[in-house]
Amino acid sequence: MKKILMSILTLLPFMAAAQKNYTISGKLPAVKGQAKAYLVLLKNDAWKEIDSAEIKDGKFQFAGSVNEPQNAILAVRHNGAADSGRQRDTQGFFIENSKIAMAGTDSISNANITGSVADQESHEREAMIKPVTAKIIQLQDKYGKKNSDGTFVWSVEDRKKAGDSVQMLVAKNKDISLKFAETHLNSFMGLYTFNMYVLDNKFDPAAMEPLFNQFSNELKSSPLGKLTVEKIEIGKRRQTGAKATDFTQKDLNDKPFTLSSLRGKYVLVDFWASWCVPCRAENPNVVKAYNELKGKNFEIVGVSLDYPGGKAAWAGAVEKDGLPWIQVSDLKGWKNEVAVMYGINSVPQNLLIDPNGVIIAKNLRGEALTEKLKELIK
C-alpha cells in the first residue's frame, strides 16, 4: 500500500502539469470608452480567434490552456468616442501555460509582456540576429533600387556581389540559430528554433538528426517534436544519394504522369509556379539546359505549385516562357502533394535524378545550370 501511495505521489507533479492553464492579465489604463481584446492562435497553419474580453477600467483577462507553447496574437479594437477611426492594434507573442502579464498605456502594440519563458527566449534569439538582419535589409534596399524607366540603378555585377553578401549573411543568421538551439536543448524555443530556422530547405538530415536526438525526451515526444521528426524524414527523401520517391500527377491535358515512367533517363524535377517571380526569371536558364541536353537521355518534369483555379495561369506561363517539357500539378499551391512529400517550402527548387532513380544533385540553377548538368550527366 505504501508503494502504491508513493507511486501516486510521484505522479502528482506530472498530473498537475498536464492540468496547468494559462492566464493573461492585461492593463491598459489609458484606454477609454468601449474597447475589446481578442486572443488569436495559430492552428493548423491558420490564425483562429479563440477568445475575446471587454476591457473595463483599463483591464482585461483571458484563461485557458494549450498543449505546448505556440504563436499567438493579442489584438485590441478601440470603439469608444476617444478612439474614433483608430485601427485595431496588435502584438504577437508566444503563449504558454503560465501567468502572463501585459502592461501598457493605451495600446497593446507597445505593451510589455512578461511571464512567458518561450516568448522571452524568442526575443533573445531575435536580438541575436537583429544586427545581421538589418544588414540584409540594407543591402536589399540599396541594390534593389530602380530608375524611373524600371531599370536597376546598380550594374548586374554589383547586384551579384550584393546577392552573394546577402547569402553569406543569411548563412550567418542560420548559424546563430543553430548555436541557439544547441544551447537550449531543454527549451521549447530551442526546439522551435531548430525546426523553423535550422531545418530549412537546404538542411542535411544526416548532420541534423544527431542534434535533434540531444533534445530532452519530453520535447522529442511533444507535438512539435513529432513534427520535427517528420520534417527530418521528409528531408531524407530529397537528399543526395536517396532513392527518389515515386509520384503520379496530372499534366496539362489531365492525363496522369508517373515519375518512374522515365526510369533509365536523367530527370530534373523542377518545382515552380506561374506566380513565382524568381521561378519565371530562372526559366530561361532551364530552357537553355533542356535544349542542349534533351537528346542525351535527359528529361525535365515541371511540378507547378499553382493554386486551385489557376490552371489557365499555369498553362499561360508554360506557353509564354516556352517550356516544352512535361508539366504536372494538382493545383493545391503549397499543399501540392509532391511538394509536401519532398518538403518543398520555397521555389524555385529542383532535384536531379539519375537513370537508376537516385537523387544525385539538387537546387542547380543560374547561368551555369547547363554546365553543371553536363558535368553530372554521363
Side-chain angles (χ1 to χ4, degrees):
M1 183 68 182
K2 185 176 180 181
K3 288 184 178 180
I4 295 174
L5 180 60
M6 288 300 294
S7 298
I8 293 173
L9 290 173
T10 303
L11 286 171
L12 281 177
F14 296 95
M15 294 168 64
Q19 296 171 4
K20 193 174 182 181
N21 298 330
Y22 65 77
T23 58
I24 301 175
S25 301
K27 293 183 179 180
L28 299 173
V31 171
K32 308 298 180 184
Q34 294 181 342
K36 200 169 186 177
Y38 299 84
L39 181 60
V40 185
L41 299 188
L42 183 61
K43 293 188 173 183
N44 299 321
D45 297 323
W47 290 102
K48 183 178 181 181
E49 183 182 305
I50 65 162
D51 207 351
S52 62
E54 298 286 342
I55 300 178
K56 297 180 179 180
D57 299 323
K59 297 179 182 179
F60 64 87
Q61 190 170 71
F62 293 105
S65 65
V66 289
N67 293 329
E68 64 181 356
Q70 59 185 272
N71 281 293
I73 292 176
L74 207 297
V76 172
R77 188 183 296 280
H78 303 257
N79 297 319
D83 299 309
S84 178
R86 186 169 180 169
Q87 299 295 317
R88 175 189 280 195
D89 70 295
T90 65
Q91 182 169 174
F93 68 106
F94 277 89
I95 190 172
E96 62 182 37
N97 291 328
S98 62
K99 292 182 179 180
I100 300 172
M102 297 185 170
T105 52
D106 65 343
S107 171
I108 199 68
S109 61
N110 297 319
N112 183 45
I113 300 177
T114 57
S116 168
V117 173
D119 193 63
Q120 178 186 334
E121 292 182 344
S122 174
H123 287 298
E124 290 174 6
R125 189 196 71 86
E126 288 173 0
M128 294 165 69
I129 69 169
K130 187 176 181 179
V132 182
T133 303
K135 291 179 182 178
I136 293 173
I137 295 172
Q138 185 180 26
L139 284 168
Q140 290 175 332
D141 288 346
K142 180 178 179 180
Y143 290 94
K145 287 182 179 179
K146 293 184 178 181
N147 297 306
S148 57
D149 61 357
T151 59
F152 284 100
V153 172
W154 297 89
S155 68
V156 173
E157 184 180 352
D158 287 331
R159 285 187 283 118
K160 185 181 184 306
K161 288 180 180 178
D164 291 342
S165 296
V166 167
Q167 290 303 312
M168 290 176 62
L169 291 169
V170 168
K172 186 174 181 178
N173 264 350
K174 181 179 177 179
D175 188 55
I176 291 172
S177 291
L178 175 60
K179 286 182 170 58
F180 181 91
E182 290 173 334
T183 55
H184 291 75
L185 296 173
N186 294 313
S187 155
F188 169 85
M189 192 48 58
L191 181 58
Y192 181 87
T193 297
F194 179 72
N195 181 288
M196 289 292 294
Y197 306 110
V198 178
L199 301 187
D200 58 9
N201 56 23
K202 296 180 180 179
F203 81 92
D204 179 0
M208 291 298 104
E209 189 170 28
L211 176 56
F212 171 73
N213 290 331
Q214 293 180 45
F215 282 95
S216 69
N217 290 331
E218 182 180 2
L219 284 169
K220 286 188 290 186
S221 61
S222 70
L224 179 60
K226 293 175 182 177
L227 286 175
T228 306
V229 169
E230 183 180 359
K231 198 169 186 177
I232 291 172
E233 290 304 311
I234 289 174
K236 290 178 181 178
R237 293 176 192 162
R238 66 171 185 267
Q239 68 181 341
T240 301
K243 197 84 170 180
T245 305
D246 202 11
F247 64 81
T248 298
Q249 284 202 344
K250 291 183 178 181
D251 63 18
L252 280 164
N253 296 315
D254 291 326
K255 292 182 179 180
F257 162 81
T258 301
L259 176 65
S260 57
S261 66
L262 295 176
R263 187 64 53 83
K265 292 185 176 183
Y266 286 92
V267 182
L268 186 73
V269 181
D270 183 41
F271 295 91
W272 74 295
S274 67
W275 46 260
C276 169
V277 175
C279 301
R280 304 293 295 275
E282 178 66 14
N283 277 342
N285 296 320
V286 187
V287 170
K288 180 183 177 183
Y290 181 77
N291 288 335
E292 290 199 29
L293 293 163
K294 62 183 178 181
K296 299 181 179 179
N297 203 32
F298 174 71
E299 187 55 84
I300 297 178
V301 178
V303 180
S304 168
L305 273 61
D306 277 87
Y307 288 92
K311 187 174 182 179
W314 170 33
V318 169
E319 182 178 1
K320 185 175 181 179
D321 293 1
L323 313 180
W325 49 82
I326 300 165
Q327 296 287 342
V328 300
S329 181
D330 56 13
L331 296 175
K332 293 181 180 179
W334 288 112
K335 293 183 179 180
N336 178 290
E337 292 179 7
V338 180
V340 171
M341 183 174 68
Y342 279 106
I344 303 299
N345 51 27
S346 68
V347 285
Q349 285 198 62
N350 57 50
L351 303 170
L352 180 63
I353 302 168
D354 74 5
N356 297 314
V358 175
I359 298 172
I360 58 173
K362 55 187 178 181
N363 297 326
L364 304 174
R365 63 172 61 98
E367 296 178 359
L369 173 63
T370 304
E371 296 307 314
K372 290 178 182 177
L373 287 172
K374 285 180 178 179
E375 292 174 9
L376 292 164
I377 296 176
K378 307 300 182 183

